[in-house]
Amino acid sequence: MSKPAEVTLTDLVGQDCCAPINAGRMPAPAAVALAPAFKALGDPVRLQLMSMIASADGGEICVCDLTPAFELSGPTISHHLRTLREAGLVSAERRGSWVYYQADPLVLRLLGGLLGTPVAVAG
Amino acid sequence: MSKPAEVTLTDLVGQDCCAPINAGRMPAPAAVALAPAFKALGDPVRLQLMSMIASADGGEICVCDLTPAFELSGPTISHHLRTLREAGLVSAERRGSWVYYQADPLVLRLLGGLLGTPVAVAG
DNA sequence: TGTCAACCTCGACACATGTCGAAACCAGCT
DNA sequence: AGCTGGTTTCGACATGTGTCGAGGTTGACA
């Protein structure tokens, strides 16, 4: 066990949340776990994909509705969706011929709570 | 004016906030403006730098306190700080021999509110 | 005014990322 | 069983990113 401090996003979600970003230095393991999620949101296409998935009616949306919404090739959209999936932000489910994507609201809330800085300035 | 739809982070902060990510497809200009901020947070070192700056006593912290906190060269830390600066997340101020960095709480709150989904489910 | 320290910029390199076309895979239909 | 349409994976290429060492700029201090 050379890397006992490894932490996953799911671990952090399980703890309900970690400390907000203005509550002291973030531990390196948490930073390593969280950075990929923010990085995944660091692209305009993925940000729009994420918003479409997160706001989808019924909590899920078909890839066949996502792909034509951009002027990008199918493989490129698939690549971005994979990035979101590997970052733990969305999950995919195949049903019949189509694949449906759903957002993970807990992870989104985790990230949001991290930045939220709920008026902490104690003004 | 070939690109009339260009939007800056400051514009978005000025509007107090844009719609949360689960409230419909994010407009492309907003996505283009927001993505660099998330991308800047998409690195473990910058996430830790950000947390140290945002939680600094007095709202600011000296570079001379940041650099020795990582096993990275000075130029590398400077590069990451520049990335955070260009993303609009922090600002720098020179005072005497040292440079002090401060976080922009409004931008952090904007990003957080975007993801925060503040219990909107009304459960 | 000269010297020193802190910080940034520049140039360079290895590696990761965004994008595409071609091909493989998977489920449904005839 | 074979064909068809939808989605992902593979291979390739141009571009962007993280890191460093060397050098420049700024301000303090003797």
Side-chain angles (χ1 to χ4, degrees):
Chain A
M1 41 184 88
S2 55
K3 285 181 174 300
E6 200 159 314
V7 174
T8 69
L9 249 194
T10 314
D11 292 337
L12 297 177
V13 171
Q15 301 168 17
D16 186 13
C17 181
C18 38
I21 204 169
N22 61 351
R25 174 177 181 174
M26 182 181 296
V32 169
L34 290 165
F38 284 115
K39 178 185 278 189
L41 294 175
D43 180 279
V45 173
R46 287 196 293 268
L47 219 36
Q48 289 180 85
L49 282 170
M50 195 66 223
S51 68
M52 293 177 75
I53 298 170
S55 65
D57 240 23
E60 60 183 16
I61 189 169
C62 178
V63 174
C64 58
D65 288 328
L66 294 173
T67 302
F70 298 84
E71 294 188 345
L72 290 171
S73 71
T76 297
I77 296 295
S78 182
H79 162 71
H80 284 304
L81 289 172
R82 189 229 280 260
T83 301
L84 289 173
R85 223 186 315 141
E86 291 181 342
L89 292 167
V90 306
S91 58
E93 183 184 345
R94 173 163 222 132
R95 219 158 50 238
S97 299
W98 288 275
V99 176
Y100 293 85
Y101 276 81
Q102 12 193 305
D104 185 333
L106 293 180
V107 171
L108 285 180
R109 199 132 47 140
L110 168 64
L111 299 179
L114 202 72
L115 305 179
T117 59
V119 196
V121 197
Chain B
M1 43 181 89
S2 54
K3 284 181 176 299
E6 200 159 315
V7 174
T8 67
L9 248 195
T10 313
D11 292 337
L12 297 177
V13 170
Q15 300 168 18
D16 187 13
C17 181
C18 39
I21 204 168
N22 60 352
R25 174 177 181 175
M26 181 181 297
V32 170
L34 290 166
F38 284 116
K39 179 185 277 189
L41 294 174
D43 180 279
V45 172
R46 287 196 293 268
L47 219 36
Q48 290 181 83
L49 282 170
M50 196 67 223
S51 68
M52 293 177 75
I53 298 171
S55 66
D57 239 23
E60 61 184 14
I61 189 169
C62 177
V63 175
C64 58
D65 288 328
L66 294 173
T67 303
F70 298 85
E71 294 188 346
L72 291 171
S73 72
T76 298
I77 296 296
S78 182
H79 163 70
H80 284 305
L81 289 171
R82 188 228 280 260
T83 301
L84 290 173
R85 223 186 314 141
E86 290 180 343
L89 293 167
V90 306
S91 57
E93 184 186 344
R94 172 166 221 129
R95 217 157 54 238
S97 299
W98 288 275
V99 177
Y100 293 85
Y101 276 81
Q102 12 195 307
D104 185 333
L106 293 179
V107 172
L108 284 179
R109 201 135 44 144
L110 167 65
L111 300 178
L114 202 75
L115 306 178
T117 57
V119 195
V121 197

PDB file of all heavy atoms in Angstrom, chain A residues 39 46 73 75-76 79-80 96, chain C residues 17-22 27-28:
ATOM      1  N   LYS A  39     -11.997  19.756 -13.789  1.00  0.00           N
ATOM      2  CA  LYS A  39     -11.392  19.766 -15.119  1.00  0.00           C
ATOM      3  C   LYS A  39     -12.405  19.339 -16.166  1.00  0.00           C
ATOM      4  O   LYS A  39     -12.461  19.900 -17.269  1.00  0.00           O
ATOM      5  CB  LYS A  39     -10.176  18.833 -15.151  1.00  0.00           C
ATOM      6  CG  LYS A  39      -9.531  18.763 -16.501  1.00  0.00           C
ATOM      7  CD  LYS A  39      -8.405  17.738 -16.564  1.00  0.00           C
ATOM      8  CE  LYS A  39      -7.119  18.305 -16.014  1.00  0.00           C
ATOM      9  NZ  LYS A  39      -5.969  17.384 -16.263  1.00  0.00           N
ATOM     10  N   ARG A  46     -18.575  20.545 -22.752  1.00  0.00           N
ATOM     11  CA  ARG A  46     -18.996  19.682 -21.648  1.00  0.00           C
ATOM     12  C   ARG A  46     -19.897  20.423 -20.676  1.00  0.00           C
ATOM     13  O   ARG A  46     -20.809  19.837 -20.083  1.00  0.00           O
ATOM     14  CB  ARG A  46     -17.763  19.114 -20.939  1.00  0.00           C
ATOM     15  CG  ARG A  46     -17.051  18.058 -21.755  1.00  0.00           C
ATOM     16  CD  ARG A  46     -16.101  17.236 -20.907  1.00  0.00           C
ATOM     17  NE  ARG A  46     -14.982  17.994 -20.415  1.00  0.00           N
ATOM     18  CZ  ARG A  46     -13.812  18.097 -21.034  1.00  0.00           C
ATOM     19  NH1 ARG A  46     -13.616  17.458 -22.170  1.00  0.00           N
ATOM     20  NH2 ARG A  46     -12.838  18.806 -20.528  1.00  0.00           N
ATOM     21  N   SER A  73     -18.700  16.228 -34.419  1.00  0.00           N
ATOM     22  CA  SER A  73     -18.939  14.851 -34.860  1.00  0.00           C
ATOM     23  C   SER A  73     -19.437  13.984 -33.708  1.00  0.00           C
ATOM     24  O   SER A  73     -19.240  14.308 -32.533  1.00  0.00           O
ATOM     25  CB  SER A  73     -17.649  14.263 -35.420  1.00  0.00           C
ATOM     26  OG  SER A  73     -16.736  14.035 -34.377  1.00  0.00           O
ATOM     27  N   PRO A  75     -18.331  10.992 -32.668  1.00  0.00           N
ATOM     28  CA  PRO A  75     -17.234  10.535 -31.807  1.00  0.00           C
ATOM     29  C   PRO A  75     -16.748  11.606 -30.837  1.00  0.00           C
ATOM     30  O   PRO A  75     -16.399  11.293 -29.697  1.00  0.00           O
ATOM     31  CB  PRO A  75     -16.140  10.175 -32.814  1.00  0.00           C
ATOM     32  CG  PRO A  75     -16.886   9.752 -34.020  1.00  0.00           C
ATOM     33  CD  PRO A  75     -18.103  10.624 -34.065  1.00  0.00           C
ATOM     34  N   THR A  76     -16.740  12.853 -31.272  1.00  0.00           N
ATOM     35  CA  THR A  76     -16.269  13.911 -30.373  1.00  0.00           C
ATOM     36  C   THR A  76     -17.227  14.085 -29.197  1.00  0.00           C
ATOM     37  O   THR A  76     -16.805  14.202 -28.048  1.00  0.00           O
ATOM     38  CB  THR A  76     -16.126  15.234 -31.144  1.00  0.00           C
ATOM     39  OG1 THR A  76     -15.125  15.061 -32.150  1.00  0.00           O
ATOM     40  CG2 THR A  76     -15.704  16.359 -30.227  1.00  0.00           C
ATOM     41  N   HIS A  79     -16.749  11.302 -26.882  1.00  0.00           N
ATOM     42  CA  HIS A  79     -15.526  11.488 -26.101  1.00  0.00           C
ATOM     43  C   HIS A  79     -15.783  12.411 -24.898  1.00  0.00           C
ATOM     44  O   HIS A  79     -15.353  12.115 -23.780  1.00  0.00           O
ATOM     45  CB  HIS A  79     -14.426  12.070 -26.999  1.00  0.00           C
ATOM     46  CG  HIS A  79     -13.292  12.683 -26.250  1.00  0.00           C
ATOM     47  ND1 HIS A  79     -12.385  11.928 -25.541  1.00  0.00           N
ATOM     48  CD2 HIS A  79     -12.935  13.968 -26.066  1.00  0.00           C
ATOM     49  CE1 HIS A  79     -11.499  12.736 -24.971  1.00  0.00           C
ATOM     50  NE2 HIS A  79     -11.806  13.973 -25.278  1.00  0.00           N
ATOM     51  N   HIS A  80     -16.502  13.494 -25.130  1.00  0.00           N
ATOM     52  CA  HIS A  80     -16.795  14.421 -24.039  1.00  0.00           C
ATOM     53  C   HIS A  80     -17.688  13.758 -22.992  1.00  0.00           C
ATOM     54  O   HIS A  80     -17.513  13.953 -21.790  1.00  0.00           O
ATOM     55  CB  HIS A  80     -17.469  15.681 -24.588  1.00  0.00           C
ATOM     56  CG  HIS A  80     -16.513  16.619 -25.266  1.00  0.00           C
ATOM     57  ND1 HIS A  80     -15.391  17.126 -24.650  1.00  0.00           N
ATOM     58  CD2 HIS A  80     -16.493  17.138 -26.511  1.00  0.00           C
ATOM     59  CE1 HIS A  80     -14.742  17.925 -25.477  1.00  0.00           C
ATOM     60  NE2 HIS A  80     -15.390  17.951 -26.621  1.00  0.00           N
ATOM     61  N   GLY A  96     -32.458  -0.433 -24.922  1.00  0.00           N
ATOM     62  CA  GLY A  96     -32.789  -0.610 -26.326  1.00  0.00           C
ATOM     63  C   GLY A  96     -31.649  -0.133 -27.188  1.00  0.00           C
ATOM     64  O   GLY A  96     -30.487  -0.348 -26.860  1.00  0.00           O
TER      65      GLY A  96
ATOM     66  P    DT C  17      -5.667  14.597 -19.976  1.00  0.00           P
ATOM     67  OP1  DT C  17      -6.391  15.057 -18.779  1.00  0.00           O
ATOM     68  OP2  DT C  17      -5.689  13.188 -20.396  1.00  0.00           O
ATOM     69  O5'  DT C  17      -6.142  15.500 -21.201  1.00  0.00           O
ATOM     70  C5'  DT C  17      -5.931  16.903 -21.149  1.00  0.00           C
ATOM     71  C4'  DT C  17      -6.469  17.563 -22.395  1.00  0.00           C
ATOM     72  O4'  DT C  17      -5.566  17.347 -23.495  1.00  0.00           O
ATOM     73  C3'  DT C  17      -7.838  17.040 -22.855  1.00  0.00           C
ATOM     74  O3'  DT C  17      -8.670  18.158 -23.099  1.00  0.00           O
ATOM     75  C2'  DT C  17      -7.523  16.252 -24.126  1.00  0.00           C
ATOM     76  C1'  DT C  17      -6.306  16.997 -24.642  1.00  0.00           C
ATOM     77  N1   DT C  17      -5.395  16.197 -25.499  1.00  0.00           N
ATOM     78  C2   DT C  17      -5.028  16.699 -26.727  1.00  0.00           C
ATOM     79  O2   DT C  17      -5.419  17.769 -27.141  1.00  0.00           O
ATOM     80  N3   DT C  17      -4.174  15.892 -27.433  1.00  0.00           N
ATOM     81  C4   DT C  17      -3.667  14.670 -27.057  1.00  0.00           C
ATOM     82  O4   DT C  17      -2.914  14.048 -27.778  1.00  0.00           O
ATOM     83  C5   DT C  17      -4.088  14.199 -25.764  1.00  0.00           C
ATOM     84  C7   DT C  17      -3.585  12.888 -25.249  1.00  0.00           C
ATOM     85  C6   DT C  17      -4.918  14.978 -25.051  1.00  0.00           C
ATOM     86  P    DG C  18     -10.219  17.987 -23.544  1.00  0.00           P
ATOM     87  OP1  DG C  18     -11.018  19.014 -22.852  1.00  0.00           O
ATOM     88  OP2  DG C  18     -10.571  16.553 -23.419  1.00  0.00           O
ATOM     89  O5'  DG C  18     -10.193  18.339 -25.100  1.00  0.00           O
ATOM     90  C5'  DG C  18      -9.927  19.677 -25.499  1.00  0.00           C
ATOM     91  C4'  DG C  18     -10.139  19.817 -26.990  1.00  0.00           C
ATOM     92  O4'  DG C  18      -9.134  19.056 -27.686  1.00  0.00           O
ATOM     93  C3'  DG C  18     -11.490  19.310 -27.499  1.00  0.00           C
ATOM     94  O3'  DG C  18     -11.958  20.190 -28.524  1.00  0.00           O
ATOM     95  C2'  DG C  18     -11.167  17.927 -28.041  1.00  0.00           C
ATOM     96  C1'  DG C  18      -9.729  18.088 -28.530  1.00  0.00           C
ATOM     97  N9   DG C  18      -8.919  16.879 -28.445  1.00  0.00           N
ATOM     98  C8   DG C  18      -8.908  15.962 -27.429  1.00  0.00           C
ATOM     99  N7   DG C  18      -8.066  14.978 -27.625  1.00  0.00           N
ATOM    100  C5   DG C  18      -7.488  15.269 -28.853  1.00  0.00           C
ATOM    101  C6   DG C  18      -6.502  14.561 -29.591  1.00  0.00           C
ATOM    102  O6   DG C  18      -5.924  13.506 -29.302  1.00  0.00           O
ATOM    103  N1   DG C  18      -6.195  15.205 -30.782  1.00  0.00           N
ATOM    104  C2   DG C  18      -6.765  16.378 -31.209  1.00  0.00           C
ATOM    105  N2   DG C  18      -6.346  16.847 -32.382  1.00  0.00           N
ATOM    106  N3   DG C  18      -7.686  17.044 -30.527  1.00  0.00           N
ATOM    107  C4   DG C  18      -8.000  16.433 -29.366  1.00  0.00           C
ATOM    108  P    DT C  19     -13.426  19.992 -29.140  1.00  0.00           P
ATOM    109  OP1  DT C  19     -13.902  21.344 -29.510  1.00  0.00           O
ATOM    110  OP2  DT C  19     -14.216  19.133 -28.246  1.00  0.00           O
ATOM    111  O5'  DT C  19     -13.157  19.187 -30.487  1.00  0.00           O
ATOM    112  C5'  DT C  19     -12.441  19.811 -31.555  1.00  0.00           C
ATOM    113  C4'  DT C  19     -11.978  18.799 -32.561  1.00  0.00           C
ATOM    114  O4'  DT C  19     -11.016  17.908 -31.954  1.00  0.00           O
ATOM    115  C3'  DT C  19     -13.060  17.838 -33.074  1.00  0.00           C
ATOM    116  O3'  DT C  19     -13.739  18.423 -34.170  1.00  0.00           O
ATOM    117  C2'  DT C  19     -12.242  16.619 -33.509  1.00  0.00           C
ATOM    118  C1'  DT C  19     -10.896  16.799 -32.822  1.00  0.00           C
ATOM    119  N1   DT C  19     -10.487  15.630 -32.021  1.00  0.00           N
ATOM    120  C2   DT C  19      -9.506  14.801 -32.517  1.00  0.00           C
ATOM    121  O2   DT C  19      -8.973  14.992 -33.589  1.00  0.00           O
ATOM    122  N3   DT C  19      -9.190  13.739 -31.716  1.00  0.00           N
ATOM    123  C4   DT C  19      -9.737  13.423 -30.497  1.00  0.00           C
ATOM    124  O4   DT C  19      -9.374  12.437 -29.879  1.00  0.00           O
ATOM    125  C5   DT C  19     -10.757  14.328 -30.026  1.00  0.00           C
ATOM    126  C7   DT C  19     -11.410  14.075 -28.700  1.00  0.00           C
ATOM    127  C6   DT C  19     -11.075  15.386 -30.803  1.00  0.00           C
ATOM    128  P    DC C  20     -14.986  17.652 -34.846  1.00  0.00           P
ATOM    129  OP1  DC C  20     -15.715  18.637 -35.668  1.00  0.00           O
ATOM    130  OP2  DC C  20     -15.697  16.910 -33.797  1.00  0.00           O
ATOM    131  O5'  DC C  20     -14.306  16.598 -35.829  1.00  0.00           O
ATOM    132  C5'  DC C  20     -13.455  17.070 -36.875  1.00  0.00           C
ATOM    133  C4'  DC C  20     -12.694  15.904 -37.472  1.00  0.00           C
ATOM    134  O4'  DC C  20     -11.928  15.271 -36.435  1.00  0.00           O
ATOM    135  C3'  DC C  20     -13.597  14.824 -38.056  1.00  0.00           C
ATOM    136  O3'  DC C  20     -13.643  14.941 -39.470  1.00  0.00           O
ATOM    137  C2'  DC C  20     -12.934  13.509 -37.641  1.00  0.00           C
ATOM    138  C1'  DC C  20     -11.774  13.910 -36.754  1.00  0.00           C
ATOM    139  N1   DC C  20     -11.734  13.157 -35.462  1.00  0.00           N
ATOM    140  C2   DC C  20     -10.733  12.189 -35.254  1.00  0.00           C
ATOM    141  O2   DC C  20      -9.915  11.990 -36.141  1.00  0.00           O
ATOM    142  N3   DC C  20     -10.713  11.506 -34.086  1.00  0.00           N
ATOM    143  C4   DC C  20     -11.631  11.763 -33.153  1.00  0.00           C
ATOM    144  N4   DC C  20     -11.564  11.074 -32.027  1.00  0.00           N
ATOM    145  C5   DC C  20     -12.653  12.745 -33.346  1.00  0.00           C
ATOM    146  C6   DC C  20     -12.671  13.407 -34.512  1.00  0.00           C
ATOM    147  P    DG C  21     -14.706  14.077 -40.274  1.00  0.00           P
ATOM    148  OP1  DG C  21     -14.955  14.797 -41.539  1.00  0.00           O
ATOM    149  OP2  DG C  21     -15.823  13.725 -39.375  1.00  0.00           O
ATOM    150  O5'  DG C  21     -13.918  12.714 -40.598  1.00  0.00           O
ATOM    151  C5'  DG C  21     -12.703  12.778 -41.344  1.00  0.00           C
ATOM    152  C4'  DG C  21     -12.143  11.383 -41.544  1.00  0.00           C
ATOM    153  O4'  DG C  21     -11.766  10.835 -40.256  1.00  0.00           O
ATOM    154  C3'  DG C  21     -13.117  10.367 -42.161  1.00  0.00           C
ATOM    155  O3'  DG C  21     -12.396   9.489 -43.020  1.00  0.00           O
ATOM    156  C2'  DG C  21     -13.675   9.644 -40.951  1.00  0.00           C
ATOM    157  C1'  DG C  21     -12.485   9.645 -39.996  1.00  0.00           C
ATOM    158  N9   DG C  21     -12.853   9.660 -38.588  1.00  0.00           N
ATOM    159  C8   DG C  21     -13.812  10.448 -38.002  1.00  0.00           C
ATOM    160  N7   DG C  21     -13.921  10.267 -36.710  1.00  0.00           N
ATOM    161  C5   DG C  21     -12.971   9.289 -36.432  1.00  0.00           C
ATOM    162  C6   DG C  21     -12.633   8.685 -35.197  1.00  0.00           C
ATOM    163  O6   DG C  21     -13.096   8.884 -34.075  1.00  0.00           O
ATOM    164  N1   DG C  21     -11.617   7.737 -35.343  1.00  0.00           N
ATOM    165  C2   DG C  21     -11.006   7.428 -36.537  1.00  0.00           C
ATOM    166  N2   DG C  21     -10.045   6.503 -36.487  1.00  0.00           N
ATOM    167  N3   DG C  21     -11.313   7.997 -37.701  1.00  0.00           N
ATOM    168  C4   DG C  21     -12.303   8.906 -37.573  1.00  0.00           C
ATOM    169  P    DA C  22     -13.162   8.299 -43.782  1.00  0.00           P
ATOM    170  OP1  DA C  22     -12.524   8.224 -45.111  1.00  0.00           O
ATOM    171  OP2  DA C  22     -14.616   8.523 -43.670  1.00  0.00           O
ATOM    172  O5'  DA C  22     -12.789   6.980 -42.961  1.00  0.00           O
ATOM    173  C5'  DA C  22     -11.419   6.678 -42.717  1.00  0.00           C
ATOM    174  C4'  DA C  22     -11.302   5.394 -41.920  1.00  0.00           C
ATOM    175  O4'  DA C  22     -11.644   5.652 -40.531  1.00  0.00           O
ATOM    176  C3'  DA C  22     -12.212   4.257 -42.394  1.00  0.00           C
ATOM    177  O3'  DA C  22     -11.506   3.032 -42.355  1.00  0.00           O
ATOM    178  C2'  DA C  22     -13.357   4.277 -41.383  1.00  0.00           C
ATOM    179  C1'  DA C  22     -12.638   4.733 -40.113  1.00  0.00           C
ATOM    180  N9   DA C  22     -13.497   5.421 -39.150  1.00  0.00           N
ATOM    181  C8   DA C  22     -14.410   6.415 -39.416  1.00  0.00           C
ATOM    182  N7   DA C  22     -15.039   6.854 -38.351  1.00  0.00           N
ATOM    183  C5   DA C  22     -14.499   6.105 -37.314  1.00  0.00           C
ATOM    184  C6   DA C  22     -14.749   6.103 -35.935  1.00  0.00           C
ATOM    185  N6   DA C  22     -15.633   6.898 -35.338  1.00  0.00           N
ATOM    186  N1   DA C  22     -14.042   5.234 -35.171  1.00  0.00           N
ATOM    187  C2   DA C  22     -13.149   4.425 -35.774  1.00  0.00           C
ATOM    188  N3   DA C  22     -12.833   4.342 -37.062  1.00  0.00           N
ATOM    189  C4   DA C  22     -13.549   5.220 -37.795  1.00  0.00           C
ATOM    190  P    DA C  27     -26.638  -5.550 -26.649  1.00  0.00           P
ATOM    191  OP1  DA C  27     -26.809  -5.366 -25.194  1.00  0.00           O
ATOM    192  OP2  DA C  27     -26.279  -6.866 -27.203  1.00  0.00           O
ATOM    193  O5'  DA C  27     -27.980  -5.074 -27.360  1.00  0.00           O
ATOM    194  C5'  DA C  27     -28.386  -3.716 -27.194  1.00  0.00           C
ATOM    195  C4'  DA C  27     -29.461  -3.364 -28.213  1.00  0.00           C
ATOM    196  O4'  DA C  27     -28.868  -3.310 -29.534  1.00  0.00           O
ATOM    197  C3'  DA C  27     -30.614  -4.366 -28.285  1.00  0.00           C
ATOM    198  O3'  DA C  27     -31.851  -3.659 -28.254  1.00  0.00           O
ATOM    199  C2'  DA C  27     -30.409  -5.080 -29.613  1.00  0.00           C
ATOM    200  C1'  DA C  27     -29.686  -4.009 -30.435  1.00  0.00           C
ATOM    201  N9   DA C  27     -28.817  -4.562 -31.473  1.00  0.00           N
ATOM    202  C8   DA C  27     -27.884  -5.555 -31.329  1.00  0.00           C
ATOM    203  N7   DA C  27     -27.242  -5.849 -32.435  1.00  0.00           N
ATOM    204  C5   DA C  27     -27.789  -4.983 -33.370  1.00  0.00           C
ATOM    205  C6   DA C  27     -27.546  -4.803 -34.743  1.00  0.00           C
ATOM    206  N6   DA C  27     -26.628  -5.501 -35.428  1.00  0.00           N
ATOM    207  N1   DA C  27     -28.263  -3.859 -35.397  1.00  0.00           N
ATOM    208  C2   DA C  27     -29.184  -3.162 -34.699  1.00  0.00           C
ATOM    209  N3   DA C  27     -29.499  -3.251 -33.409  1.00  0.00           N
ATOM    210  C4   DA C  27     -28.766  -4.189 -32.796  1.00  0.00           C
ATOM    211  P    DG C  28     -33.248  -4.437 -28.200  1.00  0.00           P
ATOM    212  OP1  DG C  28     -34.126  -3.735 -27.247  1.00  0.00           O
ATOM    213  OP2  DG C  28     -32.958  -5.878 -28.046  1.00  0.00           O
ATOM    214  O5'  DG C  28     -33.833  -4.197 -29.664  1.00  0.00           O
ATOM    215  C5'  DG C  28     -34.041  -2.862 -30.106  1.00  0.00           C
ATOM    216  C4'  DG C  28     -34.362  -2.838 -31.595  1.00  0.00           C
ATOM    217  O4'  DG C  28     -33.234  -3.370 -32.342  1.00  0.00           O
ATOM    218  C3'  DG C  28     -35.575  -3.681 -31.999  1.00  0.00           C
ATOM    219  O3'  DG C  28     -36.375  -2.922 -32.893  1.00  0.00           O
ATOM    220  C2'  DG C  28     -34.969  -4.899 -32.700  1.00  0.00           C
ATOM    221  C1'  DG C  28     -33.695  -4.292 -33.302  1.00  0.00           C
ATOM    222  N9   DG C  28     -32.627  -5.263 -33.528  1.00  0.00           N
ATOM    223  C8   DG C  28     -32.083  -6.126 -32.603  1.00  0.00           C
ATOM    224  N7   DG C  28     -31.129  -6.868 -33.086  1.00  0.00           N
ATOM    225  C5   DG C  28     -31.027  -6.484 -34.411  1.00  0.00           C
ATOM    226  C6   DG C  28     -30.165  -6.942 -35.442  1.00  0.00           C
ATOM    227  O6   DG C  28     -29.306  -7.809 -35.392  1.00  0.00           O
ATOM    228  N1   DG C  28     -30.402  -6.273 -36.649  1.00  0.00           N
ATOM    229  C2   DG C  28     -31.346  -5.284 -36.818  1.00  0.00           C
ATOM    230  N2   DG C  28     -31.439  -4.766 -38.044  1.00  0.00           N
ATOM    231  N3   DG C  28     -32.158  -4.847 -35.867  1.00  0.00           N
ATOM    232  C4   DG C  28     -31.947  -5.484 -34.701  1.00  0.00           C
TER     233       DG C  28
END
